[in-house]
């Protein structure tokens, strides 16, 4: 018995040591080096086989295990008998020349072991390599079936012979070409909608000519630029200036003319005298006189084939000449062609080409999805046992309180599972609602949320966080059909719902968005999701961003695309606004922009930006009268609380005005803050932000401040959010996009040509621009004690509010106002914390002279 116990103890000790050896971090590294060694060995053997296969084939085909031990048998392979046997097994009896793919697969596995990364991360690479190995083996053997070299090995020969006997040679060729097409479509996802019969071969030649250039290859689908004059009215990325009359409307290239490469060129009046082929051009005045003569003679509808159709607009001295090739409409039954200032006059039977706002940047390419990470390796399967355990625990907890349920159903989401229960008749909903903490205790889970009842359903919902949470990647949401086929003005792929469906919303319908939540719960990621979604969907001519970042570190990467997508005040050093004074100027500038857009809408008799742009695209609005294509403007403010604390009403007033009025003219606001208190998110702001997003907060009162309802304090964090839109309250898992992904997308856009001039907002001059001068405070508004206070400060060469209060026996508020007036008239300097103000006048004589001049 003692011997048996001793032997069992030894075995258990050995077993323990073996388990410890398996858990040792050195084991996978050694295993990885073993895979790399074997891969390198096979690579040398295969490479030698290409040159020595004929000399060794007779010996290795008579293979036996004794052949390895026969030292008198010599092989020509560089790695001797073992190398010859291995290479013959893989080449002749295996897959032929594609056996090199096995070397690659072994290298990938070895590197994964060495880096201590899970093989699941490389499963797609290994799976595609294996499919390519099989396909190339069959393809090579079918192509070189009469060759003595084993191009496809025994596997390729067997499959190829079976296919030829089954579907014939032509059928096999068709099948192989089909698989090639499937591989190309799956790998590159070409856009066949842009394929035209006439331009296919030119596109192919351009691709082949630039295939060695990485930068050109990135834009291989774009047609080669052709030097031609673009549509002068296509400068939608620029602010319409006072010299807009210099540009001709409706002078785009005709159908036979090449398109522009995106550079905006202006035609000068002085033309070279050597251009004899160009006919003499007429001034607009001469064209108008000729047109009136045609109308008088009733010959306006009988134009000769050589006559060009012309647009009549108000001539100016700087007007450039009209091109003869432009099919511009002719007015018919009007007495004076200048009677319609806003509408472009059109001929009854003439249809001009629609205006293309993307023409100036026609070579612009939207970012590709390959720039984003997949996170497919982090997907987890929900354990069925976990669902059953939670269900039983919920039922048991309710039964403890004598609450019976008829039915229970689970809906699995990426991070939360929704259990829908149908209570027995006679059970009060409030009774279940009050058991929220008890159910959370029984499930040992954080963030239990009860929805009693679920709107539109006769059930009660209990949301329980999953133990294994899934990462919802932004790429996964952008690749979905909901986002790709979204017929929205400003589509945003927020993430996934609790039923694991992609959620896409239109910012233009919200029309403004308020984001709030505690620090580190996902606000910055949510802002990046909004911005990247719009960058993937919209052209630079269709949308502009105004970015305000008091923290100075969140939005700065977007400054690289200032010439593409950003809008800001002229003269700013950085396109991302960080200074509080510049923030006030920017918001007031947006108010000016809003008023200008409303004026254009009024002249165009349009109710909103969509109707206005439709009229402009159909060329029913004349840019010579101040009209221009209006891009959407999205104002993004990160950390709104800091602005309210530093500027207060100066920030709140323009924000409120923009939120109230800017929707119709395409200006939308996205505001984020981590302090959802009532003094930050005031009632005026909340009333104009019907769409709000709440990430996890620490208190119920904060949740009610944001959403006017509870629930945000029961979220689990890390992108878990509630979206309140109208009367709906939707729980979402926000998509995740990392900073390197954002930088890749921004760099992709920044590498492309942008507009020659960014989109400048209207200039704004605030009242504080003249601070320190006499004009900032009226002399009539001065305090009665102003003169006494000035003399007191200059005599003592000490400027402080407390001294004025003490010596002149005034209240603190009145003394503070007098000190501000002294600063306004340049008697004292600005405040410097708790230090006394600097006195700028050194003697009483200078002060008296100054007071007399007032």
């Amino acid at each position: 018995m003692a011997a048996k116990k001793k032997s069992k103890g030894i075995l258990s000790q050995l077993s323990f040591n073996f388990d410890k050896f398996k858990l040792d971090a050195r084991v996978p590294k050694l295993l990885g080096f073993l895979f790399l060694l074997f891969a390198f060995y096979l690579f040398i053997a295969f490479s030698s086989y290409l040159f020595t296969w004929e000399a060794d084939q007779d010996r290795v085909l008579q293979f036996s295990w004794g052949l390895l031990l026969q030292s008198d048998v010599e092989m020509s392979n560089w790695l001797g008998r073992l190398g010859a046997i291995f290479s013959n097994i893989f080449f002749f009896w295996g897959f032929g020349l594609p056996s090199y793919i096995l070397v690659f697969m072994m290298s990938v596995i070895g590197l994964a072991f060495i880096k201590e990364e899970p093989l699941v991360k490389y499963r797609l690479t290994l799976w595609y390599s294996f499919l390519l190995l099989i396909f190339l083996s069959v393809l090579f053997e079918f192509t070189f079936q009469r060759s003595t070299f084993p191009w496809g090995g025994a596997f390729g020969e067997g499959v190829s012979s079976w296919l030829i006997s089954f579907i014939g040679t032509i059928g096999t060729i068709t099948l192989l070409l089909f698989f090639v097409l499937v591989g190309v479509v799956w790998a590159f996802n070409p856009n066949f909608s842009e394929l035209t019969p006439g331009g296919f071969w030119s596109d192919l030649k351009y691709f082949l000519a630039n295939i060695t250039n990485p930068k050109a290859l990135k834009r291989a689908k774009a047609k080669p630029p052709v030097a031609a004059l673009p549509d002068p009215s296509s400068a939608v990325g620029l602010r319409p200036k006072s010299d807009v009359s210099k540009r001709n409307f409706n002078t785009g290239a005709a159908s036979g003319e090449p398109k522009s490469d995106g550079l905006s060129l202006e035609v000068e009046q002085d033309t070279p005298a050597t251009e004899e082929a160009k006919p003499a051009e007429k001034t607009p005045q001469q064209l108008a006189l000729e047109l009136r003569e045609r109308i008088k003679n009733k010959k306006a509808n009988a134009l000769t084939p050589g006559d060009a159709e012309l647009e009549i607009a108000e001539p100016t001295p700087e007007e450039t000449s009209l091109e003869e090739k432009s099919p511009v409409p002719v007015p018919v039954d009007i007495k004076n062609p200048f009677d319609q200032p806003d509408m472009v006059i059109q001929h009854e039977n003439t249809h001009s080409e629609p205006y293309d706002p993307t023409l100036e940047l026609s070579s612009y390419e939207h970012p590709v999805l390959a720039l984003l990470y997949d996170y497919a390796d982090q997907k987890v399967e929900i354990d069925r046992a976990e669902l059953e355990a939670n269900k039983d625990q919920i039922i048991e907890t309710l039964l403890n309180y004598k609450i019976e349920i008829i039915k229970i159903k689970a809906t699995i989401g990426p991070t939360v599972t929704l259990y829908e229960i149908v209570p027995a008749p006679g059970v009060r909903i409030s009774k279940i609602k009050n058991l929220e903490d008890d159910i959370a205790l029984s499930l040992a889970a954080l963030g239990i949320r009860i929805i009693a009842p679920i709107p539109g359903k006769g059930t009660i919902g209990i949301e329980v966080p999953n133990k294994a949470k899934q990462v919802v990647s932004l790429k996964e949401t952008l690749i979905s059909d909901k986002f790709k086929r979204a017929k929205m003005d400003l589509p945003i792929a927020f993430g996934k719902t609790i039923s694991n469906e992609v959620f896409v919303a239109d910012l233009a319908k919200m029309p403004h968005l308020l984001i709030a939540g505690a620090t580190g719960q996902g606000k910055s990621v949510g802002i990046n999701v909004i911005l990247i979604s719009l960058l993937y969907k919209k052209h630079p001519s269709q949308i502009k961003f105004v970015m305000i970042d008091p923290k100075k570190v969140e939005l700065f990467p977007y400054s690289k695309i200032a010439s593409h997508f950003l809008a800001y005040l002229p003269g700013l050093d950085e396109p991302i606004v960080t200074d509080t004074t510049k923030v006030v100027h920017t918001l007031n500038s947006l108010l000016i922009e809003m008023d200008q857009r409303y004026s254009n809408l009024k002249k165009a008799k349009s109710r909103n930006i969509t109707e206005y742009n439709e009229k402009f695209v159909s060329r029913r609005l004349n840019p010579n009268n101040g009209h221009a294509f209006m891009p959407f403007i999205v104002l993004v403010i990160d950390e709104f609380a800091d602005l309210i604390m530093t500027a207060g009403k100066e920030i709140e007033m323009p924000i409120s005005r923009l939120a109230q009025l800017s929707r119709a003219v395409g200006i939308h606001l996205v505001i984020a803050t981590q302090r959802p208190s009532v003094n930050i998110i005031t009632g005026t702001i909340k009333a104009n932000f019907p769409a709000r997003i709440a990430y996890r907060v620490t208190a119920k009162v904060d949740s009610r401040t944001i959403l006017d309802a509870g629930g945000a304090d029961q979220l689990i964090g890390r992108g878990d959010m509630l979206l309140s839109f109208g009367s709906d309250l939707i729980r979402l898992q926000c998509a995740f996009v990392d900073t390197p992904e954002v930088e890749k997308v921004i760099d992709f856009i920044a590498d492309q040509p942008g507009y020659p001039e960014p989109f400048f907002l209207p200039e704004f001059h605030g009242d504080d621009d003249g601070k320190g001068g006499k004009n900032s405070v009226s002399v009539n508004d001065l305090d009665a004690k102003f003169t006494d206070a000035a003399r007191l400060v200059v005599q003592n060469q000490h400027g402080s509010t407390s001294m004025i209060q003490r010596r002149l026996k005034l209240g603190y508020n009145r003394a503070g106002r007098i000190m501000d007036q002294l600063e306004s008239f340049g008697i004292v300097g600005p405040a410097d914390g708790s230090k006394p103000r600097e006195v700028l006048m050194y003697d009483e004589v200078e002060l008296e002279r100054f007071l007399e001049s007032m």
Side-chain angles (χ1 to χ4, degrees), residues 148-174:
T148 55
F149 181 78
W151 287 94
F155 176 82
E157 182 181 5
V159 177
S160 175
S161 301
W162 181 82
L163 286 175
I164 293 174
S165 63
F166 185 67
I167 58 177
T169 303
I170 297 179
T172 305
I173 294 174
T174 305

Side-chain angles (χ1 to χ4, degrees), residues 488-492 505-512 632 663 668:
M488 302 176 180
D489 291 325
L490 299 174
I492 301 172
D506 189 2
L507 180 61
K509 295 289 188 298
M510 286 184 173
H512 311 296
F632 285 95
R663 171 183 180 175
H668 302 280

Side-chain angles (χ1 to χ4, degrees), residues 111-215:
L111 290 174
F113 277 126
I114 292 173
K115 295 179 179 179
E116 298 183 3
E117 295 177 341
L119 283 178
V120 181
K121 183 177 180 180
Y122 300 97
R123 71 179 188 278
L124 291 179
T125 303
L126 296 175
W127 175 244
Y128 291 152
S129 301
F130 179 70
L131 293 179
L132 185 63
L133 171 70
I134 294 175
F135 175 75
L136 291 181
S137 176
V138 178
L139 177 64
F140 286 174
E141 192 58 39
F142 176 78
T143 307
F144 306 103
Q145 51 186 305
R146 298 185 181 276
S147 175
T148 55
F149 181 78
W151 287 94
F155 176 82
E157 182 181 5
V159 177
S160 175
S161 301
W162 181 82
L163 286 175
I164 293 174
S165 63
F166 185 67
I167 58 177
T169 303
I170 297 179
T172 305
I173 294 174
T174 305
L175 184 64
L176 293 175
L177 290 176
F178 171 75
F179 281 121
V180 171
L181 181 62
V182 168
V184 170
V185 172
W186 186 263
F188 301 103
N189 191 20
N191 189 358
F192 295 107
S193 62
E194 297 178 357
L195 191 64
T196 57
F200 173 75
W201 294 110
S202 61
D203 291 343
L204 181 61
K205 290 178 182 178
Y206 184 67
F207 180 86
L208 295 176
N210 295 276
I211 199 168
T212 56
N213 186 355
K215 291 186 178 179

